[in-house]
Amino acid sequence: MEIKTRIPEFVLRPTTAADAPLILQFIRDLAAYEKLSHEVVATEDGLRQWLFGERPVAEAVIGYYRDEPAAFALFFHNFPTFLGRPGIYLEDLFVKPEFRGNGFGTVMLSYLAHVADERGCGRLEWSVLDWNEPAINFYHA
């Protein structure tokens, strides 16, 4: 299923098990950007199991610009007990450097807010590394 966005030629696609190699590449790209490549132990098989297996624990969406993978988000439900209803935690949001500044990250974040609202979630949460000024500025905007 393809989700059209407000940006021409930029579409979102929920991932399938066949996307495990691409998801892993986005994870590795994000880790390299954060200077944490040494911490990545995820595997394609593990992603297939935990994202698409019998009991998926997270979801991912990929943003494509002109059919080229440009952005990625991985998220999962949590349960804020004081709210007494589910929330969504955004684990990773990454836009490839060559695609930054085009509004793709904003579109992805807006999509996740829509998903949270559609699913009756009480909130959408994420965190950002304290040194990551570009990401902090993006989230403030």
Side-chain angles (χ1 to χ4, degrees), residues 9-32:
E9 301 185 81
F10 183 67
V11 298
L12 304 181
R13 295 182 192 142
T15 56
T16 67
D19 293 312
L22 182 56
I23 295 167
L24 184 56
Q25 187 57 57
F26 269 110
I27 291 168
R28 287 180 175 146
D29 291 346
L30 173 60

Side-chain angles (χ1 to χ4, degrees), residues 15-86:
T15 56
T16 67
D19 293 312
L22 182 56
I23 295 167
L24 184 56
Q25 187 57 57
F26 269 110
I27 291 168
R28 287 180 175 146
D29 291 346
L30 173 60
Y33 174 74
E34 293 180 343
K35 298 174 180 51
L36 296 170
S37 294
H38 61 283
E39 292 189 20
V40 177
V41 296
T43 65
E44 290 177 21
D45 287 340
L47 292 172
R48 281 188 201 93
Q49 175 186 352
W50 295 112
L51 298 179
F52 310 104
E54 186 176 318
R55 189 173 174 171
V57 297
E59 301 172 59
V61 62
I62 296 176
Y64 290 84
Y65 181 66
R66 297 181 177 161
D67 291 322
E68 187 175 341
F72 143 89
L74 189 137
F75 60 99
F76 54 88
H77 282 277
N78 57 13
F79 193 81
T81 56
F82 285 16
L83 291 177
R85 60 190 227 196

